[in-house]
Amino acid sequence: MTRQTELKREADRLATLNSYKVVDNAPESAFYRITQLVADIFSAPLASISLVGEDKEWFKSAVGFTETQIDRDVSICAQMIESGEPMVVEDASIDPRFVDNPLVSGDLAIRFYAGSPLIAPNRKVLGALWIADTVPRFRTTKNQMNQLKSMADIAMSEMELSREIGLREQAQKNASIARSNLDLTLALSDIASFRIDLETGLIEWGGAYMKIWGEDAGESAAEVESALGRVHSEDRDSVRVAMSAAAGEGEKFEARFRIVLPSGEVRWLEGYGDYLEANGRPTLTGINKDITNSVDQQEQLKLHTRELHHRLRNLFATLQSIMTLTKNSATSIDDYIERIHNRLSALNRAQQILLDTNFVTGSFAALVKDLCKTYPKVRWSGPDIILAENAMVSISLVLNELATNAAKYGALTSDKGLVKIKWTIVAVEEGPDMVKLTWSESGGAKSVSAPSLSGFGSSLIDHSITRNLRGEIDRDWAADGLQCTITFPAPDDKGYS
């Protein structure tokens, strides 16, 4: 055997010994009883269960002496490490191997020695069960050595049992720690765990179960029937079916359902689980997750999608109407393109402001500011008003038509021309407050007569104000430009400041 192989075998043996965790432990009564019984059977004044470590022999239990350890190089038991066979020394004082050994020449004065190795299931020799006498013995029988070997096997079985108990206790401790960590993780993740004994109906809860099922869930929902009592009546049967189906081969528990808390609050939950046999009992184990916010968001998304679809249909209808009527009133292709461009810009202006908020309402002040970017000679003043989508589109088209006309025929045709937009909120004793908007042009080219009101632009203005805004418009063509007053109901929810 090479030196490297020897070192490897010894390392494996020591690892096996350490796995039993008995070397440094306090004396154990089971080992002492075995040692005392062996001493009595063989009428031996000295006996021990010894474990051979890297450089020491440890006396796990001892009869007839008080030492707890000796150096390995003087250990008699160590002689059995390689052979793995029982050993008998009839008179150590004349045995060349032990004549100078302190156990022989010292206070213990050992003469007779008989030992049987402690052999682990993997065939590693960990030590020995031995007896000794201070006088020689020359007639040790085979039957006596078989008895000693049987007692050594019992001692080894006791060590094996002790290790198994230790491993089981450690496994239980690890499982308890793992369960605690799992409960903490689930609690922090707002997930509840459950373990249902399907024979008794009892539920073992964990994680964030009180946050999800209610603070009284540990008592009021400790059984299947009481927990199902909190499931919404419309979902209860489907949950029962899902629980029953989970017992089928290859099936899992999956359910989405509502629960109603004692406060009346309704929550949506998702449940996932597996059927298993735990200690011979049918068990359903799994988790619940609160998905109320997710369900609400999905419903909101559906509403927004339907609302967007509705608004897109209205927008396309408006576009189709504008394009058709503009075509009928345009004097040329270039005129048509220009008018369409301006009116689509007005629509885009309103839609962009709606998009920047919530698709449903928009800022009138923001709409006017955006108009001023296209027409820098337009000045404005007035409180902000939050208008509904239909009103935003209508007023945007009105302002666009007024600005376009001013740029073609009115004040904005002159370098000195100016347009002022001013609006106020006027309280009315009976009925809603009214928005009063004035459009004042000045400094423009002198007009001798009012332009025709039969064009599509004028019709669009009148229709938008009277039909869509439910308001009124009054026009006055002064010498240097249009003076226009528009009134319409202010938003019902006082959406202005």
Side-chain angles (χ1 to χ4, degrees), residues 176-243:
S176 177
I177 294 173
R179 180 56 188 258
S180 297
N181 290 339
L182 176 60
D183 278 344
L184 178 60
T185 301
L186 293 175
L188 293 175
S189 303
D190 292 339
I191 295 175
S193 66
F194 61 84
R195 188 183 182 91
I196 304 175
D197 186 322
L198 296 177
E199 287 187 355
T200 64
L202 295 177
I203 304 177
E204 180 183 344
W205 291 104
Y209 70 95
M210 287 191 293
K211 186 174 181 179
I212 294 177
W213 284 83
E215 293 184 358
D216 63 337
E219 297 178 357
S220 301
E223 297 181 350
V224 169
E225 290 305 316
S226 58
L228 285 172
R230 291 199 174 177
V231 176
H232 196 287
S233 59
E234 295 179 3
D235 302 333
R236 201 170 294 147
D237 288 343
S238 64
V239 173
R240 290 184 188 276
V241 170
M243 291 177 62

Side-chain angles (χ1 to χ4, degrees), residues 343-361:
R343 286 162 184 166
L344 292 185
S345 295
L347 281 177
N348 179 66
R349 190 178 297 123
Q351 294 299 324
Q352 185 60 53
I353 292 171
L354 292 167
L355 180 64
D356 290 341
T357 51
N358 56 14
F359 288 112
V360 179
T361 58

Side-chain angles (χ1 to χ4, degrees), residues 19-53:
S19 71
Y20 285 89
K21 301 184 184 302
V22 292
V23 171
D24 295 322
N25 287 356
E28 298 177 38
S29 59
F31 293 115
Y32 179 77
R33 287 196 296 270
I34 293 173
T35 305
Q36 185 63 62
L37 180 60
V38 170
D40 292 343
I41 291 174
F42 291 95
S43 300
L46 304 172
S48 175
I49 293 176
S50 293
L51 302 170
V52 180

Side-chain angles (χ1 to χ4, degrees), residues 8 26 60 70 114 126 128 144 172 192 198 219 231 235 249 300 310 354-355 366 385 403 411 446 462 485:
K8 176 64 168 61
K60 183 62 182 174
I70 59 172
L126 309 183
Q144 288 175 316
Q172 291 174 342
L198 296 177
E219 297 178 357
V231 176
D235 302 333
E249 185 175 354
Q300 285 295 111
H310 171 71
L354 292 167
L355 180 64
I385 306 174
K446 303 299 181 179
D462 291 343
T485 302

Side-chain angles (χ1 to χ4, degrees), residues 92 164 172 190 254 277 301 333 346 398 458 463 488:
E164 288 297 327
Q172 291 174 342
D190 292 339
E254 292 185 8
E277 296 286 334
L301 181 59
I333 291 295
V398 168
S458 296
H463 179 84
F488 59 91

Side-chain angles (χ1 to χ4, degrees), residues 233-277:
S233 59
E234 295 179 3
D235 302 333
R236 201 170 294 147
D237 288 343
S238 64
V239 173
R240 290 184 188 276
V241 170
M243 291 177 62
S244 299
E249 185 175 354
E251 297 294 327
K252 293 183 179 294
F253 170 71
E254 292 185 8
R256 174 180 282 203
F257 55 94
R258 291 162 291 177
I259 60 172
V260 183
L261 299 183
S263 64
E265 178 186 356
V266 178
R267 292 178 180 171
W268 275 96
L269 304 187
E270 274 185 347
Y272 300 96
D274 285 299
Y275 176 90
L276 52 84
E277 296 286 334

Side-chain angles (χ1 to χ4, degrees), residues 269-338:
L269 304 187
E270 274 185 347
Y272 300 96
D274 285 299
Y275 176 90
L276 52 84
E277 296 286 334
N279 299 321
R281 304 179 70 85
T283 303
L284 182 64
T285 181
I287 60 171
N288 290 143
K289 184 177 181 180
D290 187 341
I291 59 168
T292 305
N293 290 338
S294 176
V295 171
D296 289 345
Q297 289 172 0
Q298 290 175 4
E299 290 300 316
Q300 285 295 111
L301 181 59
K302 290 179 182 178
L303 288 174
H304 288 161
T305 301
R306 287 197 293 268
E307 178 68 20
L308 181 59
H309 178 67
H310 171 71
R311 294 187 183 281
L312 284 174
R313 289 180 62 188
N314 288 344
L315 179 59
F316 285 131
T318 302
L319 284 172
Q320 185 178 21
S321 176
I322 287 174
M323 293 176 72
T324 300
L325 294 175
T326 301
K327 176 185 175 182
N328 295 336
S329 63
T331 59
S332 66
I333 291 295
D334 291 340
D335 182 45
Y336 174 75
I337 293 174
E338 181 182 359

